[in-house]
Amino acid sequence: MTGPLVLGIETSCDETGIGIVRGRQLLSNTIASSMDEHARYGGVVPEVAARAHLEALQPSIERALTEAGVTLDDLDAVAVTSGPGLAGALMVGVGAAKGLAVSLGKPLYAVNHLVGHIAADILTSDDRATAPLEYPTIALLVSGGHTSLLHVRDLTTDVELLGETVDDAAGEAFDKVARLLGLPYPGGPQIDIAAADGDPRAIRFPRGLSKASDMAKHRYDFSFSGLKTAVARWVERAEAAGEQVPVADVAASFREAVIDVVVTKALAACEDRGVPRLLLGGGVIANRRLREVALERAAAAGVAVRIPPLSLCTDNGAMIAGLAAELIANGRGPSTLGFGADSTLPVTEIQVSPA
């Protein structure tokens, strides 16, 4: 194996991710989730997430080093998510990464969380080989906190934001609709399970920002707040009429509306930009129906689809380490220590505070 040995720290939301790579070779992907602690509140509580990161960081780093068979002294660099994400959660990771890098005398790379999701696709392991990522490519990132459409001309130098959610992210909408249907948190997997026995054509829920009047300004943007409200109103009317809510049909129809919008807009970007490649990333890509529809419709459009392993789609430190390794391989110097946590870091800022 060749390439720099990099340890990556990811704490943008509710998962403490520590990853170790050597170049593009994945050596360890350790994740400690605080999801169970948030379940009682029905969503992520920033203060709870930050405290959980503090408690999980040291044992997660030790576990990752053991899994990779390396020591801290072996590292060539440390990498960390600077943003976007929850400010308090990001601060924990940034502080830990700075302390680790300074104490070891190792260079530190502060990188963008969203671009990290793209880097996840280039990682290889003993049971997974992957062809190099071709440029340009369109990337659709769908997660609990982000729904973004990107034009990637180069992973380390040129990522353009085409569109993003103007309100709820898709994952947030899944959580809120699950709550309306009496399903537990997190909503994504629960909606998927409930929808398995439902009819996706039973109810025609709205497709946000898809009308002709929206396309001029919001061709690549997403909106799920109106969809969530439409589901709530449908359920309220059914209950007011004394009818039993068909949870499976509602879940399937809601899921289909989300999938229809994100896949349609992603393939429109491929067509408009003349890019026959689509990369899917983010935790919501674990949704089986989303993958099925994306692959089916992309094939019909002549678009090749790449999907990282599901273990690398959710937030993880390996993708952060992988992005930093690519920056190093391309001759980029480390970040200065003056950077901080940036909850609204733009996707165009791939590396933060480069020297």
Side-chain angles (χ1 to χ4, degrees), residues 191 195 198-207 227 231 246-260:
I191 291 286
D199 179 1
R201 296 172 298 277
I203 309 161
R204 175 69 184 185
F205 287 126
R207 273 63 169 161
L227 170 59
V231 175
V247 172
D249 285 347
V250 174
S253 299
F254 161 75
R255 183 181 66 174
E256 204 70 9
V258 173
I259 292 170
D260 187 17

mmCIF file with all atom_site columns, all heavy atoms in Angstrom, residues 191 195 198-207 227 231 246-260:
data_model
loop_
_atom_site.group_PDB
_atom_site.id
_atom_site.type_symbol
_atom_site.label_atom_id
_atom_site.label_alt_id
_atom_site.label_comp_id
_atom_site.label_asym_id
_atom_site.label_entity_id
_atom_site.label_seq_id
_atom_site.pdbx_PDB_ins_code
_atom_site.Cartn_x
_atom_site.Cartn_y
_atom_site.Cartn_z
_atom_site.occupancy
_atom_site.B_iso_or_equiv
_atom_site.pdbx_formal_charge
_atom_site.auth_seq_id
_atom_site.auth_comp_id
_atom_site.auth_asym_id
_atom_site.auth_atom_id
_atom_site.pdbx_PDB_model_num
ATOM 1   N N   . ILE A 1 191 ? -39.647 4.426  7.848   1.00 0.00 ? 191 ILE A N   1
ATOM 2   C CA  . ILE A 1 191 ? -40.489 4.679  6.667   1.00 0.00 ? 191 ILE A CA  1
ATOM 3   C C   . ILE A 1 191 ? -40.250 3.602  5.622   1.00 0.00 ? 191 ILE A C   1
ATOM 4   O O   . ILE A 1 191 ? -41.189 3.103  4.981   1.00 0.00 ? 191 ILE A O   1
ATOM 5   C CB  . ILE A 1 191 ? -40.178 6.071  6.069   1.00 0.00 ? 191 ILE A CB  1
ATOM 6   C CG1 . ILE A 1 191 ? -40.653 7.189  7.010   1.00 0.00 ? 191 ILE A CG1 1
ATOM 7   C CG2 . ILE A 1 191 ? -40.808 6.228  4.681   1.00 0.00 ? 191 ILE A CG2 1
ATOM 8   C CD1 . ILE A 1 191 ? -42.140 7.405  7.049   1.00 0.00 ? 191 ILE A CD1 1
ATOM 9   N N   . ALA A 1 195 ? -43.140 1.248  4.281   1.00 0.00 ? 195 ALA A N   1
ATOM 10  C CA  . ALA A 1 195 ? -43.501 1.410  2.866   1.00 0.00 ? 195 ALA A CA  1
ATOM 11  C C   . ALA A 1 195 ? -43.436 0.112  2.083   1.00 0.00 ? 195 ALA A C   1
ATOM 12  O O   . ALA A 1 195 ? -44.021 -0.001 0.998   1.00 0.00 ? 195 ALA A O   1
ATOM 13  C CB  . ALA A 1 195 ? -42.581 2.446  2.220   1.00 0.00 ? 195 ALA A CB  1
ATOM 14  N N   . GLY A 1 198 ? -46.768 -0.990 1.223   1.00 0.00 ? 198 GLY A N   1
ATOM 15  C CA  . GLY A 1 198 ? -47.674 0.047  0.756   1.00 0.00 ? 198 GLY A CA  1
ATOM 16  C C   . GLY A 1 198 ? -47.646 0.240  -0.753  1.00 0.00 ? 198 GLY A C   1
ATOM 17  O O   . GLY A 1 198 ? -46.784 -0.296 -1.452  1.00 0.00 ? 198 GLY A O   1
ATOM 18  N N   . ASP A 1 199 ? -48.590 1.022  -1.227  1.00 0.00 ? 199 ASP A N   1
ATOM 19  C CA  . ASP A 1 199 ? -48.704 1.348  -2.648  1.00 0.00 ? 199 ASP A CA  1
ATOM 20  C C   . ASP A 1 199 ? -48.168 2.766  -2.863  1.00 0.00 ? 199 ASP A C   1
ATOM 21  O O   . ASP A 1 199 ? -48.775 3.740  -2.388  1.00 0.00 ? 199 ASP A O   1
ATOM 22  C CB  . ASP A 1 199 ? -50.169 1.271  -3.084  1.00 0.00 ? 199 ASP A CB  1
ATOM 23  C CG  . ASP A 1 199 ? -50.356 1.613  -4.557  1.00 0.00 ? 199 ASP A CG  1
ATOM 24  O OD1 . ASP A 1 199 ? -49.357 1.895  -5.245  1.00 0.00 ? 199 ASP A OD1 1
ATOM 25  O OD2 . ASP A 1 199 ? -51.523 1.613  -5.006  1.00 0.00 ? 199 ASP A OD2 1
ATOM 26  N N   . PRO A 1 200 ? -47.052 2.922  -3.578  1.00 0.00 ? 200 PRO A N   1
ATOM 27  C CA  . PRO A 1 200 ? -46.485 4.259  -3.781  1.00 0.00 ? 200 PRO A CA  1
ATOM 28  C C   . PRO A 1 200 ? -47.341 5.171  -4.636  1.00 0.00 ? 200 PRO A C   1
ATOM 29  O O   . PRO A 1 200 ? -47.102 6.377  -4.694  1.00 0.00 ? 200 PRO A O   1
ATOM 30  C CB  . PRO A 1 200 ? -45.143 3.964  -4.455  1.00 0.00 ? 200 PRO A CB  1
ATOM 31  C CG  . PRO A 1 200 ? -45.318 2.627  -5.106  1.00 0.00 ? 200 PRO A CG  1
ATOM 32  C CD  . PRO A 1 200 ? -46.239 1.867  -4.204  1.00 0.00 ? 200 PRO A CD  1
ATOM 33  N N   . ARG A 1 201 ? -48.368 4.613  -5.289  1.00 0.00 ? 201 ARG A N   1
ATOM 34  C CA  . ARG A 1 201 ? -49.260 5.414  -6.133  1.00 0.00 ? 201 ARG A CA  1
ATOM 35  C C   . ARG A 1 201 ? -50.599 5.686  -5.445  1.00 0.00 ? 201 ARG A C   1
ATOM 36  O O   . ARG A 1 201 ? -51.500 6.270  -6.044  1.00 0.00 ? 201 ARG A O   1
ATOM 37  C CB  . ARG A 1 201 ? -49.518 4.692  -7.467  1.00 0.00 ? 201 ARG A CB  1
ATOM 38  C CG  . ARG A 1 201 ? -48.270 4.514  -8.313  1.00 0.00 ? 201 ARG A CG  1
ATOM 39  C CD  . ARG A 1 201 ? -48.527 3.636  -9.528  1.00 0.00 ? 201 ARG A CD  1
ATOM 40  N NE  . ARG A 1 201 ? -48.933 2.286  -9.111  1.00 0.00 ? 201 ARG A NE  1
ATOM 41  C CZ  . ARG A 1 201 ? -48.082 1.326  -8.758  1.00 0.00 ? 201 ARG A CZ  1
ATOM 42  N NH1 . ARG A 1 201 ? -46.783 1.570  -8.763  1.00 0.00 ? 201 ARG A NH1 1
ATOM 43  N NH2 . ARG A 1 201 ? -48.522 0.140  -8.385  1.00 0.00 ? 201 ARG A NH2 1
ATOM 44  N N   . ALA A 1 202 ? -50.714 5.280  -4.181  1.00 0.00 ? 202 ALA A N   1
ATOM 45  C CA  . ALA A 1 202 ? -51.998 5.422  -3.487  1.00 0.00 ? 202 ALA A CA  1
ATOM 46  C C   . ALA A 1 202 ? -52.383 6.878  -3.286  1.00 0.00 ? 202 ALA A C   1
ATOM 47  O O   . ALA A 1 202 ? -53.554 7.250  -3.400  1.00 0.00 ? 202 ALA A O   1
ATOM 48  C CB  . ALA A 1 202 ? -51.936 4.700  -2.135  1.00 0.00 ? 202 ALA A CB  1
ATOM 49  N N   . ILE A 1 203 ? -51.390 7.730  -2.989  1.00 0.00 ? 203 ILE A N   1
ATOM 50  C CA  . ILE A 1 203 ? -51.644 9.145  -2.707  1.00 0.00 ? 203 ILE A CA  1
ATOM 51  C C   . ILE A 1 203 ? -50.644 9.978  -3.497  1.00 0.00 ? 203 ILE A C   1
ATOM 52  O O   . ILE A 1 203 ? -49.435 9.709  -3.441  1.00 0.00 ? 203 ILE A O   1
ATOM 53  C CB  . ILE A 1 203 ? -51.487 9.461  -1.199  1.00 0.00 ? 203 ILE A CB  1
ATOM 54  C CG1 . ILE A 1 203 ? -52.308 8.481  -0.359  1.00 0.00 ? 203 ILE A CG1 1
ATOM 55  C CG2 . ILE A 1 203 ? -51.888 10.902 -0.905  1.00 0.00 ? 203 ILE A CG2 1
ATOM 56  C CD1 . ILE A 1 203 ? -51.867 8.421  1.081   1.00 0.00 ? 203 ILE A CD1 1
ATOM 57  N N   . ARG A 1 204 ? -51.121 10.966 -4.198  1.00 0.00 ? 204 ARG A N   1
ATOM 58  C CA  . ARG A 1 204 ? -50.231 11.821 -4.993  1.00 0.00 ? 204 ARG A CA  1
ATOM 59  C C   . ARG A 1 204 ? -49.827 13.025 -4.147  1.00 0.00 ? 204 ARG A C   1
ATOM 60  O O   . ARG A 1 204 ? -50.534 14.044 -4.118  1.00 0.00 ? 204 ARG A O   1
ATOM 61  C CB  . ARG A 1 204 ? -50.918 12.269 -6.286  1.00 0.00 ? 204 ARG A CB  1
ATOM 62  C CG  . ARG A 1 204 ? -50.111 13.254 -7.121  1.00 0.00 ? 204 ARG A CG  1
ATOM 63  C CD  . ARG A 1 204 ? -48.886 12.624 -7.747  1.00 0.00 ? 204 ARG A CD  1
ATOM 64  N NE  . ARG A 1 204 ? -48.085 13.634 -8.462  1.00 0.00 ? 204 ARG A NE  1
ATOM 65  C CZ  . ARG A 1 204 ? -47.008 13.372 -9.180  1.00 0.00 ? 204 ARG A CZ  1
ATOM 66  N NH1 . ARG A 1 204 ? -46.587 12.115 -9.288  1.00 0.00 ? 204 ARG A NH1 1
ATOM 67  N NH2 . ARG A 1 204 ? -46.349 14.321 -9.783  1.00 0.00 ? 204 ARG A NH2 1
ATOM 68  N N   . PHE A 1 205 ? -48.729 12.908 -3.442  1.00 0.00 ? 205 PHE A N   1
ATOM 69  C CA  . PHE A 1 205 ? -48.227 14.021 -2.659  1.00 0.00 ? 205 PHE A CA  1
ATOM 70  C C   . PHE A 1 205 ? -47.419 14.968 -3.552  1.00 0.00 ? 205 PHE A C   1
ATOM 71  O O   . PHE A 1 205 ? -46.890 14.549 -4.590  1.00 0.00 ? 205 PHE A O   1
ATOM 72  C CB  . PHE A 1 205 ? -47.347 13.510 -1.514  1.00 0.00 ? 205 PHE A CB  1
ATOM 73  C CG  . PHE A 1 205 ? -48.116 12.856 -0.400  1.00 0.00 ? 205 PHE A CG  1
ATOM 74  C CD1 . PHE A 1 205 ? -47.803 11.575 0.025   1.00 0.00 ? 205 PHE A CD1 1
ATOM 75  C CD2 . PHE A 1 205 ? -49.155 13.519 0.229   1.00 0.00 ? 205 PHE A CD2 1
ATOM 76  C CE1 . PHE A 1 205 ? -48.502 10.968 1.054   1.00 0.00 ? 205 PHE A CE1 1
ATOM 77  C CE2 . PHE A 1 205 ? -49.877 12.923 1.261   1.00 0.00 ? 205 PHE A CE2 1
ATOM 78  C CZ  . PHE A 1 205 ? -49.551 11.639 1.671   1.00 0.00 ? 205 PHE A CZ  1
ATOM 79  N N   . PRO A 1 206 ? -47.323 16.245 -3.182  1.00 0.00 ? 206 PRO A N   1
ATOM 80  C CA  . PRO A 1 206 ? -46.635 17.230 -4.043  1.00 0.00 ? 206 PRO A CA  1
ATOM 81  C C   . PRO A 1 206 ? -45.136 16.984 -4.159  1.00 0.00 ? 206 PRO A C   1
ATOM 82  O O   . PRO A 1 206 ? -44.504 16.460 -3.244  1.00 0.00 ? 206 PRO A O   1
ATOM 83  C CB  . PRO A 1 206 ? -46.918 18.563 -3.334  1.00 0.00 ? 206 PRO A CB  1
ATOM 84  C CG  . PRO A 1 206 ? -47.178 18.193 -1.912  1.00 0.00 ? 206 PRO A CG  1
ATOM 85  C CD  . PRO A 1 206 ? -47.870 16.865 -1.958  1.00 0.00 ? 206 PRO A CD  1
ATOM 86  N N   . ARG A 1 207 ? -44.608 17.380 -5.308  1.00 0.00 ? 207 ARG A N   1
ATOM 87  C CA  . ARG A 1 207 ? -43.163 17.339 -5.573  1.00 0.00 ? 207 ARG A CA  1
ATOM 88  C C   . ARG A 1 207 ? -42.659 18.778 -5.469  1.00 0.00 ? 207 ARG A C   1
ATOM 89  O O   . ARG A 1 207 ? -42.914 19.597 -6.352  1.00 0.00 ? 207 ARG A O   1
ATOM 90  C CB  . ARG A 1 207 ? -42.872 16.786 -6.955  1.00 0.00 ? 207 ARG A CB  1
ATOM 91  C CG  . ARG A 1 207 ? -42.766 15.263 -7.054  1.00 0.00 ? 207 ARG A CG  1
ATOM 92  C CD  . ARG A 1 207 ? -44.023 14.514 -6.707  1.00 0.00 ? 207 ARG A CD  1
ATOM 93  N NE  . ARG A 1 207 ? -43.915 13.093 -7.064  1.00 0.00 ? 207 ARG A NE  1
ATOM 94  C CZ  . ARG A 1 207 ? -44.681 12.137 -6.572  1.00 0.00 ? 207 ARG A CZ  1
ATOM 95  N NH1 . ARG A 1 207 ? -45.628 12.434 -5.699  1.00 0.00 ? 207 ARG A NH1 1
ATOM 96  N NH2 . ARG A 1 207 ? -44.519 10.886 -6.941  1.00 0.00 ? 207 ARG A NH2 1
ATOM 97  N N   . LEU A 1 227 ? -44.136 19.185 1.432   1.00 0.00 ? 227 LEU A N   1
ATOM 98  C CA  . LEU A 1 227 ? -44.488 17.765 1.358   1.00 0.00 ? 227 LEU A CA  1
ATOM 99  C C   . LEU A 1 227 ? -44.842 17.235 2.745   1.00 0.00 ? 227 LEU A C   1
ATOM 100 O O   . LEU A 1 227 ? -45.847 16.535 2.926   1.00 0.00 ? 227 LEU A O   1
ATOM 101 C CB  . LEU A 1 227 ? -43.318 16.977 0.769   1.00 0.00 ? 227 LEU A CB  1
ATOM 102 C CG  . LEU A 1 227 ? -43.416 15.455 0.831   1.00 0.00 ? 227 LEU A CG  1
ATOM 103 C CD1 . LEU A 1 227 ? -44.639 14.952 0.095   1.00 0.00 ? 227 LEU A CD1 1
ATOM 104 C CD2 . LEU A 1 227 ? -42.140 14.826 0.258   1.00 0.00 ? 227 LEU A CD2 1
ATOM 105 N N   . VAL A 1 231 ? -48.534 15.734 3.969   1.00 0.00 ? 231 VAL A N   1
ATOM 106 C CA  . VAL A 1 231 ? -48.756 14.445 4.640   1.00 0.00 ? 231 VAL A CA  1
ATOM 107 C C   . VAL A 1 231 ? -49.528 14.660 5.935   1.00 0.00 ? 231 VAL A C   1
ATOM 108 O O   . VAL A 1 231 ? -50.480 13.925 6.245   1.00 0.00 ? 231 VAL A O   1
ATOM 109 C CB  . VAL A 1 231 ? -47.410 13.744 4.925   1.00 0.00 ? 231 VAL A CB  1
ATOM 110 C CG1 . VAL A 1 231 ? -47.646 12.463 5.735   1.00 0.00 ? 231 VAL A CG1 1
ATOM 111 C CG2 . VAL A 1 231 ? -46.690 13.411 3.624   1.00 0.00 ? 231 VAL A CG2 1
ATOM 112 N N   . PRO A 1 246 ? -53.897 4.527  6.637   1.00 0.00 ? 246 PRO A N   1
ATOM 113 C CA  . PRO A 1 246 ? -53.146 3.436  6.005   1.00 0.00 ? 246 PRO A CA  1
ATOM 114 C C   . PRO A 1 246 ? -51.646 3.764  6.010   1.00 0.00 ? 246 PRO A C   1
ATOM 115 O O   . PRO A 1 246 ? -51.110 4.301  5.038   1.00 0.00 ? 246 PRO A O   1
ATOM 116 C CB  . PRO A 1 246 ? -53.715 3.400  4.587   1.00 0.00 ? 246 PRO A CB  1
ATOM 117 C CG  . PRO A 1 246 ? -54.145 4.818  4.322   1.00 0.00 ? 246 PRO A CG  1
ATOM 118 C CD  . PRO A 1 246 ? -54.587 5.369  5.648   1.00 0.00 ? 246 PRO A CD  1
ATOM 119 N N   . VAL A 1 247 ? -50.989 3.446  7.107   1.00 0.00 ? 247 VAL A N   1
ATOM 120 C CA  . VAL A 1 247 ? -49.604 3.860  7.317   1.00 0.00 ? 247 VAL A CA  1
ATOM 121 C C   . VAL A 1 247 ? -48.703 3.405  6.174   1.00 0.00 ? 247 VAL A C   1
ATOM 122 O O   . VAL A 1 247 ? -47.857 4.167  5.691   1.00 0.00 ? 247 VAL A O   1
ATOM 123 C CB  . VAL A 1 247 ? -49.082 3.321  8.668   1.00 0.00 ? 247 VAL A CB  1
ATOM 124 C CG1 . VAL A 1 247 ? -47.585 3.576  8.802   1.00 0.00 ? 247 VAL A CG1 1
ATOM 125 C CG2 . VAL A 1 247 ? -49.839 3.968  9.817   1.00 0.00 ? 247 VAL A CG2 1
ATOM 126 N N   . ALA A 1 248 ? -48.876 2.184  5.721   1.00 0.00 ? 248 ALA A N   1
ATOM 127 C CA  . ALA A 1 248 ? -48.010 1.662  4.656   1.00 0.00 ? 248 ALA A CA  1
ATOM 128 C C   . ALA A 1 248 ? -48.165 2.473  3.369   1.00 0.00 ? 248 ALA A C   1
ATOM 129 O O   . ALA A 1 248 ? -47.163 2.821  2.719   1.00 0.00 ? 248 ALA A O   1
ATOM 130 C CB  . ALA A 1 248 ? -48.329 0.193  4.389   1.00 0.00 ? 248 ALA A CB  1
ATOM 131 N N   . ASP A 1 249 ? -49.407 2.796  2.993   1.00 0.00 ? 249 ASP A N   1
ATOM 132 C CA  . ASP A 1 249 ? -49.636 3.566  1.771   1.00 0.00 ? 249 ASP A CA  1
ATOM 133 C C   . ASP A 1 249 ? -49.116 4.993  1.903   1.00 0.00 ? 249 ASP A C   1
ATOM 134 O O   . ASP A 1 249 ? -48.538 5.550  0.953   1.00 0.00 ? 249 ASP A O   1
ATOM 135 C CB  . ASP A 1 249 ? -51.126 3.603  1.435   1.00 0.00 ? 249 ASP A CB  1
ATOM 136 C CG  . ASP A 1 249 ? -51.630 2.285  0.860   1.00 0.00 ? 249 ASP A CG  1
ATOM 137 O OD1 . ASP A 1 249 ? -50.790 1.436  0.495   1.00 0.00 ? 249 ASP A OD1 1
ATOM 138 O OD2 . ASP A 1 249 ? -52.864 2.101  0.797   1.00 0.00 ? 249 ASP A OD2 1
ATOM 139 N N   . VAL A 1 250 ? -49.332 5.602  3.068   1.00 0.00 ? 250 VAL A N   1
ATOM 140 C CA  . VAL A 1 250 ? -48.834 6.961  3.277   1.00 0.00 ? 250 VAL A CA  1
ATOM 141 C C   . VAL A 1 250 ? -47.312 6.979  3.224   1.00 0.00 ? 250 VAL A C   1
ATOM 142 O O   . VAL A 1 250 ? -46.702 7.834  2.569   1.00 0.00 ? 250 VAL A O   1
ATOM 143 C CB  . VAL A 1 250 ? -49.325 7.532  4.626   1.00 0.00 ? 250 VAL A CB  1
ATOM 144 C CG1 . VAL A 1 250 ? -48.683 8.893  4.893   1.00 0.00 ? 250 VAL A CG1 1
ATOM 145 C CG2 . VAL A 1 250 ? -50.842 7.661  4.636   1.00 0.00 ? 250 VAL A CG2 1
ATOM 146 N N   . ALA A 1 251 ? -46.677 6.018  3.890   1.00 0.00 ? 251 ALA A N   1
ATOM 147 C CA  . ALA A 1 251 ? -45.222 5.948  3.899   1.00 0.00 ? 251 ALA A CA  1
ATOM 148 C C   . ALA A 1 251 ? -44.675 5.726  2.495   1.00 0.00 ? 251 ALA A C   1
ATOM 149 O O   . ALA A 1 251 ? -43.713 6.385  2.073   1.00 0.00 ? 251 ALA A O   1
ATOM 150 C CB  . ALA A 1 251 ? -44.762 4.832  4.827   1.00 0.00 ? 251 ALA A CB  1
ATOM 151 N N   . ALA A 1 252 ? -45.285 4.822  1.759   1.00 0.00 ? 252 ALA A N   1
ATOM 152 C CA  . ALA A 1 252 ? -44.808 4.520  0.407   1.00 0.00 ? 252 ALA A CA  1
ATOM 153 C C   . ALA A 1 252 ? -45.000 5.714  -0.528  1.00 0.00 ? 252 ALA A C   1
ATOM 154 O O   . ALA A 1 252 ? -44.130 6.021  -1.348  1.00 0.00 ? 252 ALA A O   1
ATOM 155 C CB  . ALA A 1 252 ? -45.532 3.294  -0.141  1.00 0.00 ? 252 ALA A CB  1
ATOM 156 N N   . SER A 1 253 ? -46.139 6.401  -0.399  1.00 0.00 ? 253 SER A N   1
ATOM 157 C CA  . SER A 1 253 ? -46.421 7.546  -1.272  1.00 0.00 ? 253 SER A CA  1
ATOM 158 C C   . SER A 1 253 ? -45.519 8.729  -0.937  1.00 0.00 ? 253 SER A C   1
ATOM 159 O O   . SER A 1 253 ? -45.049 9.440  -1.835  1.00 0.00 ? 253 SER A O   1
ATOM 160 C CB  . SER A 1 253 ? -47.896 7.948  -1.130  1.00 0.00 ? 253 SER A CB  1
ATOM 161 O OG  . SER A 1 253 ? -48.746 6.894  -1.521  1.00 0.00 ? 253 SER A OG  1
ATOM 162 N N   . PHE A 1 254 ? -45.275 8.944  0.353   1.00 0.00 ? 254 PHE A N   1
ATOM 163 C CA  . PHE A 1 254 ? -44.348 9.996  0.771   1.00 0.00 ? 254 PHE A CA  1
ATOM 164 C C   . PHE A 1 254 ? -42.937 9.695  0.262   1.00 0.00 ? 254 PHE A C   1
ATOM 165 O O   . PHE A 1 254 ? -42.271 10.561 -0.314  1.00 0.00 ? 254 PHE A O   1
ATOM 166 C CB  . PHE A 1 254 ? -44.341 10.119 2.296   1.00 0.00 ? 254 PHE A CB  1
ATOM 167 C CG  . PHE A 1 254 ? -43.127 10.820 2.835   1.00 0.00 ? 254 PHE A CG  1
ATOM 168 C CD1 . PHE A 1 254 ? -42.993 12.200 2.735   1.00 0.00 ? 254 PHE A CD1 1
ATOM 169 C CD2 . PHE A 1 254 ? -42.098 10.098 3.422   1.00 0.00 ? 254 PHE A CD2 1
ATOM 170 C CE1 . PHE A 1 254 ? -41.860 12.846 3.208   1.00 0.00 ? 254 PHE A CE1 1
ATOM 171 C CE2 . PHE A 1 254 ? -40.965 10.732 3.908   1.00 0.00 ? 254 PHE A CE2 1
ATOM 172 C CZ  . PHE A 1 254 ? -40.851 12.113 3.796   1.00 0.00 ? 254 PHE A CZ  1
ATOM 173 N N   . ARG A 1 255 ? -42.485 8.483  0.481   1.00 0.00 ? 255 ARG A N   1
ATOM 174 C CA  . ARG A 1 255 ? -41.144 8.094  0.035   1.00 0.00 ? 255 ARG A CA  1
ATOM 175 C C   . ARG A 1 255 ? -40.990 8.278  -1.471  1.00 0.00 ? 255 ARG A C   1
ATOM 176 O O   . ARG A 1 255 ? -39.966 8.766  -1.948  1.00 0.00 ? 255 ARG A O   1
ATOM 177 C CB  . ARG A 1 255 ? -40.875 6.631  0.422   1.00 0.00 ? 255 ARG A CB  1
ATOM 178 C CG  . ARG A 1 255 ? -39.478 6.143  0.074   1.00 0.00 ? 255 ARG A CG  1
ATOM 179 C CD  . ARG A 1 255 ? -39.282 4.684  0.461   1.00 0.00 ? 255 ARG A CD  1
ATOM 180 N NE  . ARG A 1 255 ? -40.119 3.779  -0.318  1.00 0.00 ? 255 ARG A NE  1
ATOM 181 C CZ  . ARG A 1 255 ? -40.043 2.447  -0.253  1.00 0.00 ? 255 ARG A CZ  1
ATOM 182 N NH1 . ARG A 1 255 ? -39.209 1.877  0.594   1.00 0.00 ? 255 ARG A NH1 1
ATOM 183 N NH2 . ARG A 1 255 ? -40.830 1.693  -0.995  1.00 0.00 ? 255 ARG A NH2 1
ATOM 184 N N   . GLU A 1 256 ? -42.018 7.912  -2.209  1.00 0.00 ? 256 GLU A N   1
ATOM 185 C CA  . GLU A 1 256 ? -41.948 8.031  -3.664  1.00 0.00 ? 256 GLU A CA  1
ATOM 186 C C   . GLU A 1 256 ? -41.857 9.490  -4.094  1.00 0.00 ? 256 GLU A C   1
ATOM 187 O O   . GLU A 1 256 ? -41.168 9.815  -5.069  1.00 0.00 ? 256 GLU A O   1
ATOM 188 C CB  . GLU A 1 256 ? -43.177 7.374  -4.301  1.00 0.00 ? 256 GLU A CB  1
ATOM 189 C CG  . GLU A 1 256 ? -42.953 6.928  -5.733  1.00 0.00 ? 256 GLU A CG  1
ATOM 190 C CD  . GLU A 1 256 ? -42.018 5.734  -5.855  1.00 0.00 ? 256 GLU A CD  1
ATOM 191 O OE1 . GLU A 1 256 ? -41.649 5.124  -4.823  1.00 0.00 ? 256 GLU A OE1 1
ATOM 192 O OE2 . GLU A 1 256 ? -41.645 5.398  -6.998  1.00 0.00 ? 256 GLU A OE2 1
ATOM 193 N N   . ALA A 1 257 ? -42.535 10.384 -3.376  1.00 0.00 ? 257 ALA A N   1
ATOM 194 C CA  . ALA A 1 257 ? -42.477 11.809 -3.717  1.00 0.00 ? 257 ALA A CA  1
ATOM 195 C C   . ALA A 1 257 ? -41.071 12.358 -3.520  1.00 0.00 ? 257 ALA A C   1
ATOM 196 O O   . ALA A 1 257 ? -40.554 13.106 -4.358  1.00 0.00 ? 257 ALA A O   1
ATOM 197 C CB  . ALA A 1 257 ? -43.473 12.588 -2.862  1.00 0.00 ? 257 ALA A CB  1
ATOM 198 N N   . VAL A 1 258 ? -40.434 11.986 -2.409  1.00 0.00 ? 258 VAL A N   1
ATOM 199 C CA  . VAL A 1 258 ? -39.061 12.435 -2.152  1.00 0.00 ? 258 VAL A CA  1
ATOM 200 C C   . VAL A 1 258 ? -38.121 11.905 -3.227  1.00 0.00 ? 258 VAL A C   1
ATOM 201 O O   . VAL A 1 258 ? -37.321 12.649 -3.816  1.00 0.00 ? 258 VAL A O   1
ATOM 202 C CB  . VAL A 1 258 ? -38.585 11.967 -0.765  1.00 0.00 ? 258 VAL A CB  1
ATOM 203 C CG1 . VAL A 1 258 ? -37.105 12.295 -0.574  1.00 0.00 ? 258 VAL A CG1 1
ATOM 204 C CG2 . VAL A 1 258 ? -39.411 12.614 0.336   1.00 0.00 ? 258 VAL A CG2 1
ATOM 205 N N   . ILE A 1 259 ? -38.234 10.622 -3.497  1.00 0.00 ? 259 ILE A N   1
ATOM 206 C CA  . ILE A 1 259 ? -37.335 9.990  -4.460  1.00 0.00 ? 259 ILE A CA  1
ATOM 207 C C   . ILE A 1 259 ? -37.524 10.571 -5.856  1.00 0.00 ? 259 ILE A C   1
ATOM 208 O O   . ILE A 1 259 ? -36.550 10.832 -6.573  1.00 0.00 ? 259 ILE A O   1
ATOM 209 C CB  . ILE A 1 259 ? -37.562 8.462  -4.463  1.00 0.00 ? 259 ILE A CB  1
ATOM 210 C CG1 . ILE A 1 259 ? -37.087 7.868  -3.142  1.00 0.00 ? 259 ILE A CG1 1
ATOM 211 C CG2 . ILE A 1 259 ? -36.860 7.810  -5.645  1.00 0.00 ? 259 ILE A CG2 1
ATOM 212 C CD1 . ILE A 1 259 ? -37.483 6.427  -2.947  1.00 0.00 ? 259 ILE A CD1 1
ATOM 213 N N   . ASP A 1 260 ? -38.762 10.776 -6.244  1.00 0.00 ? 260 ASP A N   1
ATOM 214 C CA  . ASP A 1 260 ? -39.050 11.321 -7.567  1.00 0.00 ? 260 ASP A CA  1
ATOM 215 C C   . ASP A 1 260 ? -38.363 12.673 -7.764  1.00 0.00 ? 260 ASP A C   1
ATOM 216 O O   . ASP A 1 260 ? -37.732 12.929 -8.795  1.00 0.00 ? 260 ASP A O   1
ATOM 217 C CB  . ASP A 1 260 ? -40.565 11.469 -7.737  1.00 0.00 ? 260 ASP A CB  1
ATOM 218 C CG  . ASP A 1 260 ? -40.961 11.862 -9.152  1.00 0.00 ? 260 ASP A CG  1
ATOM 219 O OD1 . ASP A 1 260 ? -40.138 11.717 -10.067 1.00 0.00 ? 260 ASP A OD1 1
ATOM 220 O OD2 . ASP A 1 260 ? -42.099 12.333 -9.328  1.00 0.00 ? 260 ASP A OD2 1
#
